[in-house]
Amino acid sequence: MSYGKKIIPPIFYKFGLILNYLIDLYESTNSPNTILEVGAGYGGLANLMMNKFTNTKYIIVDIQPVLSVSATFLNKMGKKVFRMDWDSFVI
C-alpha cells in the first residue's frame, strides 16, 4: 500500500480501520470507560487509541518481553504507564 511515494505498512492501515470503527461506535455517546487490548505488540494501536480517547483507561495484556517493549514505547510517546507483575497474582 502506498501514499504518494511513501509506503504505508499494512499494520498502520489496520490500526486506522480499528480506530475508525471505535470512533463510529462511540460517535453519539461518551468515550469508552476502559479498553482492553490482548497482544498489543509494540503499542502502536494503543498509542493511537490513547490519543483519541484521552479519558479512557487502557489496559494491555501481553507476554514478556513484549509488554516491556510496549511500555517503553508508550512512555516515550508521553503516556503514563503502570506495570503490574503477573507473579503478584496468586490463584
Side-chain angles (χ1 to χ4, degrees), residues 12-61:
F12 294 149
Y13 180 73
K14 179 183 171 187
F15 289 169
L17 290 175
I18 295 167
L19 185 58
N20 282 339
Y21 172 77
L22 289 174
I23 289 170
D24 290 345
L25 184 65
Y26 288 98
E27 183 177 36
S28 61
T29 63
N30 294 329
S31 297
N33 293 326
T34 305
I35 296 174
L36 171 66
E37 183 175 358
V38 178
Y42 77 94
L45 178 61
N47 184 52
L48 292 175
M49 300 283 251
M50 293 167 92
N51 287 340
K52 177 60 184 168
F53 301 112
T54 55
N55 295 321
T56 298
K57 181 178 181 180
Y58 203 95
I59 301 170
I60 296 174
V61 177

Short mmCIF file of all heavy atoms in Angstrom, two decimals, residues 12-61:
data_model
loop_
_atom_site.label_atom_id
_atom_site.label_comp_id
_atom_site.label_asym_id
_atom_site.label_seq_id
_atom_site.Cartn_x
_atom_site.Cartn_y
_atom_site.Cartn_z
N PHE A 12 -0.44 -0.28 9.80
CA PHE A 12 -0.95 1.06 10.08
C PHE A 12 -2.35 1.23 9.50
O PHE A 12 -3.20 1.90 10.07
CB PHE A 12 -0.02 2.14 9.55
CG PHE A 12 1.31 2.19 10.25
CD1 PHE A 12 2.44 2.59 9.57
CD2 PHE A 12 1.45 1.83 11.58
CE1 PHE A 12 3.67 2.64 10.21
CE2 PHE A 12 2.67 1.87 12.23
CZ PHE A 12 3.78 2.28 11.53
N TYR A 13 -2.59 0.64 8.34
CA TYR A 13 -3.92 0.67 7.74
C TYR A 13 -4.91 -0.04 8.64
O TYR A 13 -6.01 0.43 8.88
CB TYR A 13 -3.87 0.02 6.35
CG TYR A 13 -5.21 0.01 5.65
CD1 TYR A 13 -5.75 1.18 5.14
CD2 TYR A 13 -5.92 -1.17 5.51
CE1 TYR A 13 -6.98 1.18 4.50
CE2 TYR A 13 -7.14 -1.19 4.87
CZ TYR A 13 -7.66 -0.01 4.36
OH TYR A 13 -8.87 -0.02 3.74
N LYS A 14 -4.49 -1.19 9.17
CA LYS A 14 -5.34 -1.96 10.10
C LYS A 14 -5.64 -1.13 11.34
O LYS A 14 -6.78 -1.10 11.80
CB LYS A 14 -4.65 -3.27 10.47
CG LYS A 14 -5.42 -4.13 11.44
CD LYS A 14 -4.62 -5.37 11.79
CE LYS A 14 -5.29 -6.11 12.92
NZ LYS A 14 -4.48 -7.21 13.42
N PHE A 15 -4.62 -0.46 11.90
CA PHE A 15 -4.84 0.40 13.07
C PHE A 15 -5.88 1.46 12.76
O PHE A 15 -6.76 1.74 13.58
CB PHE A 15 -3.54 1.10 13.49
CG PHE A 15 -2.50 0.20 14.11
CD1 PHE A 15 -1.23 0.68 14.32
CD2 PHE A 15 -2.78 -1.11 14.48
CE1 PHE A 15 -0.25 -0.11 14.90
CE2 PHE A 15 -1.81 -1.92 15.06
CZ PHE A 15 -0.54 -1.40 15.26
N GLY A 16 -5.79 2.06 11.59
CA GLY A 16 -6.75 3.10 11.19
C GLY A 16 -8.16 2.57 11.09
O GLY A 16 -9.12 3.23 11.50
N LEU A 17 -8.32 1.37 10.54
CA LEU A 17 -9.65 0.76 10.43
C LEU A 17 -10.25 0.50 11.81
O LEU A 17 -11.43 0.78 12.05
CB LEU A 17 -9.57 -0.56 9.66
CG LEU A 17 -9.28 -0.46 8.17
CD1 LEU A 17 -9.12 -1.86 7.57
CD2 LEU A 17 -10.37 0.31 7.45
N ILE A 18 -9.44 -0.01 12.73
CA ILE A 18 -9.92 -0.28 14.08
C ILE A 18 -10.30 1.01 14.78
O ILE A 18 -11.37 1.12 15.41
CB ILE A 18 -8.86 -1.06 14.89
CG1 ILE A 18 -8.64 -2.45 14.28
CG2 ILE A 18 -9.26 -1.15 16.36
CD1 ILE A 18 -7.42 -3.17 14.81
N LEU A 19 -9.44 2.02 14.67
CA LEU A 19 -9.72 3.31 15.31
C LEU A 19 -10.97 3.94 14.73
O LEU A 19 -11.83 4.43 15.48
CB LEU A 19 -8.52 4.24 15.15
CG LEU A 19 -8.60 5.58 15.86
CD1 LEU A 19 -8.81 5.41 17.36
CD2 LEU A 19 -7.36 6.41 15.58
N ASN A 20 -11.13 3.92 13.42
CA ASN A 20 -12.34 4.48 12.80
C ASN A 20 -13.59 3.75 13.25
O ASN A 20 -14.63 4.37 13.48
CB ASN A 20 -12.23 4.44 11.28
CG ASN A 20 -11.35 5.55 10.75
OD1 ASN A 20 -11.12 6.56 11.40
ND2 ASN A 20 -10.83 5.34 9.55
N TYR A 21 -13.51 2.43 13.39
CA TYR A 21 -14.65 1.66 13.86
C TYR A 21 -15.07 2.11 15.26
O TYR A 21 -16.25 2.33 15.52
CB TYR A 21 -14.33 0.16 13.85
CG TYR A 21 -15.40 -0.68 14.50
CD1 TYR A 21 -16.58 -0.97 13.82
CD2 TYR A 21 -15.26 -1.14 15.80
CE1 TYR A 21 -17.58 -1.72 14.42
CE2 TYR A 21 -16.25 -1.89 16.41
CZ TYR A 21 -17.40 -2.18 15.72
OH TYR A 21 -18.40 -2.90 16.32
N LEU A 22 -14.10 2.26 16.15
CA LEU A 22 -14.43 2.67 17.52
C LEU A 22 -14.92 4.11 17.58
O LEU A 22 -15.80 4.43 18.37
CB LEU A 22 -13.23 2.46 18.44
CG LEU A 22 -12.91 1.00 18.74
CD1 LEU A 22 -11.63 0.87 19.53
CD2 LEU A 22 -14.06 0.35 19.49
N ILE A 23 -14.36 4.97 16.75
CA ILE A 23 -14.85 6.35 16.70
C ILE A 23 -16.31 6.36 16.26
O ILE A 23 -17.15 7.05 16.85
CB ILE A 23 -13.99 7.21 15.76
CG1 ILE A 23 -12.61 7.44 16.39
CG2 ILE A 23 -14.66 8.54 15.44
CD1 ILE A 23 -11.59 8.06 15.44
N ASP A 24 -16.65 5.59 15.22
CA ASP A 24 -18.04 5.49 14.77
C ASP A 24 -18.94 4.89 15.85
O ASP A 24 -20.06 5.33 16.05
CB ASP A 24 -18.14 4.64 13.49
CG ASP A 24 -17.54 5.33 12.28
OD1 ASP A 24 -17.31 6.57 12.34
OD2 ASP A 24 -17.28 4.63 11.28
N LEU A 25 -18.43 3.87 16.54
CA LEU A 25 -19.21 3.20 17.57
C LEU A 25 -19.57 4.14 18.71
O LEU A 25 -20.67 4.10 19.25
CB LEU A 25 -18.43 1.99 18.11
CG LEU A 25 -19.11 1.10 19.13
CD1 LEU A 25 -20.31 0.39 18.49
CD2 LEU A 25 -18.13 0.06 19.65
N TYR A 26 -18.64 5.02 19.09
CA TYR A 26 -18.85 5.92 20.22
C TYR A 26 -19.15 7.35 19.79
O TYR A 26 -19.09 8.27 20.59
CB TYR A 26 -17.63 5.89 21.14
CG TYR A 26 -17.53 4.60 21.92
CD1 TYR A 26 -16.71 3.57 21.50
CD2 TYR A 26 -18.30 4.41 23.06
CE1 TYR A 26 -16.64 2.38 22.20
CE2 TYR A 26 -18.24 3.23 23.77
CZ TYR A 26 -17.41 2.22 23.33
OH TYR A 26 -17.36 1.05 24.03
N GLU A 27 -19.52 7.54 18.53
CA GLU A 27 -19.78 8.87 17.99
C GLU A 27 -20.90 9.60 18.73
O GLU A 27 -20.78 10.78 19.05
CB GLU A 27 -20.12 8.77 16.50
CG GLU A 27 -20.34 10.09 15.83
CD GLU A 27 -20.59 9.90 14.34
OE1 GLU A 27 -21.24 8.92 13.94
OE2 GLU A 27 -20.13 10.76 13.58
N SER A 28 -21.96 8.91 19.04
CA SER A 28 -23.12 9.57 19.65
C SER A 28 -23.13 9.43 21.17
O SER A 28 -24.05 9.91 21.82
CB SER A 28 -24.41 8.98 19.08
OG SER A 28 -24.48 7.60 19.36
N THR A 29 -22.13 8.79 21.74
CA THR A 29 -22.08 8.62 23.19
C THR A 29 -20.72 9.07 23.70
O THR A 29 -19.88 9.54 22.95
CB THR A 29 -22.30 7.14 23.59
OG1 THR A 29 -21.23 6.36 23.04
CG2 THR A 29 -23.62 6.62 23.09
N ASN A 30 -20.53 8.91 24.98
CA ASN A 30 -19.23 9.22 25.57
C ASN A 30 -18.19 8.20 25.13
O ASN A 30 -18.52 7.14 24.61
CB ASN A 30 -19.33 9.22 27.09
CG ASN A 30 -20.22 10.32 27.60
OD1 ASN A 30 -20.32 11.38 27.00
ND2 ASN A 30 -20.89 10.08 28.71
N SER A 31 -16.94 8.52 25.37
CA SER A 31 -15.85 7.58 25.09
C SER A 31 -16.00 6.35 25.96
O SER A 31 -16.62 6.40 27.02
CB SER A 31 -14.51 8.25 25.39
OG SER A 31 -14.30 9.34 24.55
N PRO A 32 -15.41 5.22 25.54
CA PRO A 32 -15.48 4.02 26.39
C PRO A 32 -14.76 4.27 27.72
O PRO A 32 -13.80 5.03 27.78
CB PRO A 32 -14.77 2.96 25.55
CG PRO A 32 -13.93 3.72 24.58
CD PRO A 32 -14.63 5.01 24.34
N ASN A 33 -15.23 3.61 28.78
CA ASN A 33 -14.58 3.74 30.08
C ASN A 33 -13.23 3.04 30.09
O ASN A 33 -12.26 3.55 30.64
CB ASN A 33 -15.45 3.16 31.19
CG ASN A 33 -16.71 3.96 31.40
OD1 ASN A 33 -16.71 5.17 31.24
ND2 ASN A 33 -17.79 3.29 31.74
N THR A 34 -13.19 1.85 29.50
CA THR A 34 -11.99 1.04 29.51
C THR A 34 -11.85 0.31 28.18
O THR A 34 -12.84 -0.15 27.62
CB THR A 34 -12.05 -0.02 30.65
OG1 THR A 34 -12.28 0.64 31.88
CG2 THR A 34 -10.77 -0.82 30.74
N ILE A 35 -10.62 0.19 27.71
CA ILE A 35 -10.32 -0.62 26.53
C ILE A 35 -9.28 -1.65 26.96
O ILE A 35 -8.28 -1.30 27.59
CB ILE A 35 -9.77 0.23 25.36
CG1 ILE A 35 -10.82 1.21 24.87
CG2 ILE A 35 -9.29 -0.67 24.22
CD1 ILE A 35 -10.33 2.18 23.82
N LEU A 36 -9.52 -2.91 26.63
CA LEU A 36 -8.58 -3.99 26.92
C LEU A 36 -8.01 -4.49 25.60
O LEU A 36 -8.76 -4.88 24.71
CB LEU A 36 -9.28 -5.14 27.65
CG LEU A 36 -8.48 -6.42 27.83
CD1 LEU A 36 -7.29 -6.19 28.75
CD2 LEU A 36 -9.38 -7.52 28.37
N GLU A 37 -6.70 -4.45 25.49
CA GLU A 37 -6.05 -4.97 24.28
C GLU A 37 -5.19 -6.16 24.69
O GLU A 37 -4.31 -6.05 25.54
CB GLU A 37 -5.18 -3.90 23.61
CG GLU A 37 -4.56 -4.39 22.33
CD GLU A 37 -3.78 -3.33 21.57
OE1 GLU A 37 -3.72 -2.17 22.01
OE2 GLU A 37 -3.20 -3.68 20.53
N VAL A 38 -5.46 -7.30 24.09
CA VAL A 38 -4.70 -8.51 24.36
C VAL A 38 -3.74 -8.72 23.19
O VAL A 38 -4.16 -8.79 22.04
CB VAL A 38 -5.62 -9.73 24.52
CG1 VAL A 38 -4.81 -10.99 24.76
CG2 VAL A 38 -6.62 -9.49 25.64
N GLY A 39 -2.44 -8.77 23.51
CA GLY A 39 -1.44 -8.92 22.46
C GLY A 39 -1.18 -7.61 21.75
O GLY A 39 -1.37 -7.50 20.55
N ALA A 40 -0.71 -6.61 22.48
CA ALA A 40 -0.58 -5.26 21.93
C ALA A 40 0.67 -5.04 21.10
O ALA A 40 0.81 -4.00 20.47
CB ALA A 40 -0.59 -4.24 23.08
N GLY A 41 1.57 -6.01 21.09
CA GLY A 41 2.80 -5.81 20.32
C GLY A 41 3.58 -4.62 20.87
O GLY A 41 3.70 -4.45 22.07
N TYR A 42 4.10 -3.79 19.96
CA TYR A 42 4.93 -2.67 20.41
C TYR A 42 4.13 -1.51 20.97
O TYR A 42 4.70 -0.59 21.57
CB TYR A 42 5.85 -2.20 19.28
CG TYR A 42 5.17 -1.37 18.23
CD1 TYR A 42 5.17 0.02 18.31
CD2 TYR A 42 4.52 -1.97 17.15
CE1 TYR A 42 4.54 0.79 17.35
CE2 TYR A 42 3.91 -1.21 16.19
CZ TYR A 42 3.93 0.17 16.28
OH TYR A 42 3.30 0.92 15.32
N GLY A 43 2.80 -1.49 20.80
CA GLY A 43 1.96 -0.45 21.38
C GLY A 43 1.46 0.60 20.41
O GLY A 43 0.94 1.63 20.82
N GLY A 44 1.60 0.36 19.12
CA GLY A 44 1.18 1.34 18.11
C GLY A 44 -0.30 1.66 18.15
O GLY A 44 -0.70 2.83 18.14
N LEU A 45 -1.14 0.64 18.19
CA LEU A 45 -2.59 0.87 18.27
C LEU A 45 -2.94 1.53 19.59
O LEU A 45 -3.76 2.45 19.63
CB LEU A 45 -3.36 -0.44 18.10
CG LEU A 45 -4.88 -0.33 18.19
CD1 LEU A 45 -5.44 0.59 17.11
CD2 LEU A 45 -5.53 -1.71 18.10
N ALA A 46 -2.32 1.08 20.67
CA ALA A 46 -2.59 1.67 21.98
C ALA A 46 -2.29 3.17 21.96
O ALA A 46 -3.06 3.97 22.50
CB ALA A 46 -1.75 0.99 23.05
N ASN A 47 -1.20 3.55 21.33
CA ASN A 47 -0.85 4.97 21.24
C ASN A 47 -1.92 5.77 20.51
O ASN A 47 -2.35 6.83 20.97
CB ASN A 47 0.51 5.13 20.55
CG ASN A 47 0.98 6.55 20.52
OD1 ASN A 47 1.02 7.24 21.53
ND2 ASN A 47 1.34 7.02 19.34
N LEU A 48 -2.38 5.26 19.38
CA LEU A 48 -3.44 5.95 18.62
C LEU A 48 -4.73 6.06 19.43
O LEU A 48 -5.37 7.10 19.45
CB LEU A 48 -3.72 5.22 17.31
CG LEU A 48 -2.63 5.25 16.25
CD1 LEU A 48 -3.02 4.37 15.08
CD2 LEU A 48 -2.37 6.67 15.80
N MET A 49 -5.10 4.96 20.08
CA MET A 49 -6.34 4.94 20.86
C MET A 49 -6.25 5.91 22.03
O MET A 49 -7.21 6.60 22.35
CB MET A 49 -6.62 3.53 21.36
CG MET A 49 -6.78 2.53 20.25
SD MET A 49 -8.36 2.65 19.48
CE MET A 49 -9.05 1.17 20.07
N MET A 50 -5.09 5.93 22.70
CA MET A 50 -4.93 6.81 23.85
C MET A 50 -4.93 8.28 23.41
O MET A 50 -5.35 9.14 24.18
CB MET A 50 -3.64 6.46 24.60
CG MET A 50 -3.72 5.08 25.25
SD MET A 50 -2.12 4.49 25.81
CE MET A 50 -2.13 5.08 27.49
N ASN A 51 -4.48 8.55 22.20
CA ASN A 51 -4.54 9.92 21.68
C ASN A 51 -5.98 10.34 21.42
O ASN A 51 -6.36 11.48 21.66
CB ASN A 51 -3.74 10.05 20.39
CG ASN A 51 -2.25 10.04 20.60
OD1 ASN A 51 -1.77 10.29 21.71
ND2 ASN A 51 -1.50 9.72 19.57
N LYS A 52 -6.79 9.42 20.93
CA LYS A 52 -8.18 9.75 20.59
C LYS A 52 -9.08 9.72 21.82
O LYS A 52 -9.90 10.61 22.01
CB LYS A 52 -8.70 8.76 19.54
CG LYS A 52 -10.15 8.94 19.17
CD LYS A 52 -10.40 10.32 18.59
CE LYS A 52 -11.87 10.54 18.32
NZ LYS A 52 -12.19 11.92 18.03
N PHE A 53 -8.98 8.70 22.63
CA PHE A 53 -9.84 8.54 23.81
C PHE A 53 -9.02 8.89 25.06
O PHE A 53 -8.59 8.01 25.80
CB PHE A 53 -10.39 7.11 23.89
CG PHE A 53 -11.19 6.71 22.69
CD1 PHE A 53 -10.74 5.74 21.81
CD2 PHE A 53 -12.42 7.30 22.43
CE1 PHE A 53 -11.49 5.36 20.71
CE2 PHE A 53 -13.18 6.93 21.32
CZ PHE A 53 -12.71 5.96 20.46
N THR A 54 -8.84 10.16 25.29
CA THR A 54 -7.92 10.63 26.33
C THR A 54 -8.39 10.32 27.75
O THR A 54 -7.56 10.23 28.65
CB THR A 54 -7.69 12.14 26.20
OG1 THR A 54 -8.95 12.82 26.22
CG2 THR A 54 -6.97 12.46 24.90
N ASN A 55 -9.68 10.16 27.98
CA ASN A 55 -10.19 9.88 29.33
C ASN A 55 -10.51 8.41 29.55
O ASN A 55 -11.17 8.05 30.51
CB ASN A 55 -11.44 10.73 29.61
CG ASN A 55 -11.10 12.20 29.64
OD1 ASN A 55 -10.05 12.59 30.14
ND2 ASN A 55 -11.97 13.02 29.09
N THR A 56 -10.04 7.57 28.65
CA THR A 56 -10.33 6.14 28.72
C THR A 56 -9.16 5.40 29.36
O THR A 56 -8.00 5.66 29.04
CB THR A 56 -10.59 5.59 27.31
OG1 THR A 56 -11.74 6.23 26.77
CG2 THR A 56 -10.82 4.09 27.32
N LYS A 57 -9.47 4.48 30.26
CA LYS A 57 -8.43 3.62 30.86
C LYS A 57 -8.08 2.56 29.82
O LYS A 57 -8.96 1.90 29.26
CB LYS A 57 -8.97 2.97 32.12
CG LYS A 57 -8.00 2.09 32.83
CD LYS A 57 -8.64 1.55 34.10
CE LYS A 57 -7.69 0.68 34.87
NZ LYS A 57 -8.33 0.16 36.10
N TYR A 58 -6.80 2.40 29.54
CA TYR A 58 -6.34 1.46 28.51
C TYR A 58 -5.50 0.39 29.18
O TYR A 58 -4.49 0.69 29.82
CB TYR A 58 -5.52 2.20 27.45
CG TYR A 58 -5.47 1.49 26.13
CD1 TYR A 58 -6.36 1.81 25.13
CD2 TYR A 58 -4.55 0.49 25.89
CE1 TYR A 58 -6.33 1.15 23.91
CE2 TYR A 58 -4.50 -0.17 24.69
CZ TYR A 58 -5.40 0.17 23.70
OH TYR A 58 -5.38 -0.49 22.49
N ILE A 59 -5.90 -0.86 29.03
CA ILE A 59 -5.20 -1.99 29.65
C ILE A 59 -4.61 -2.88 28.55
O ILE A 59 -5.32 -3.25 27.61
CB ILE A 59 -6.16 -2.82 30.53
CG1 ILE A 59 -6.77 -1.95 31.63
CG2 ILE A 59 -5.44 -4.03 31.12
CD1 ILE A 59 -7.90 -2.62 32.39
N ILE A 60 -3.34 -3.18 28.71
CA ILE A 60 -2.67 -4.08 27.77
C ILE A 60 -2.28 -5.35 28.51
O ILE A 60 -1.68 -5.30 29.58
CB ILE A 60 -1.41 -3.42 27.18
CG1 ILE A 60 -1.79 -2.19 26.35
CG2 ILE A 60 -0.62 -4.42 26.35
CD1 ILE A 60 -0.60 -1.40 25.86
N VAL A 61 -2.61 -6.49 27.91
CA VAL A 61 -2.20 -7.79 28.43
C VAL A 61 -1.34 -8.44 27.35
O VAL A 61 -1.77 -8.56 26.20
CB VAL A 61 -3.42 -8.69 28.75
CG1 VAL A 61 -2.96 -10.06 29.21
CG2 VAL A 61 -4.31 -8.03 29.78
#
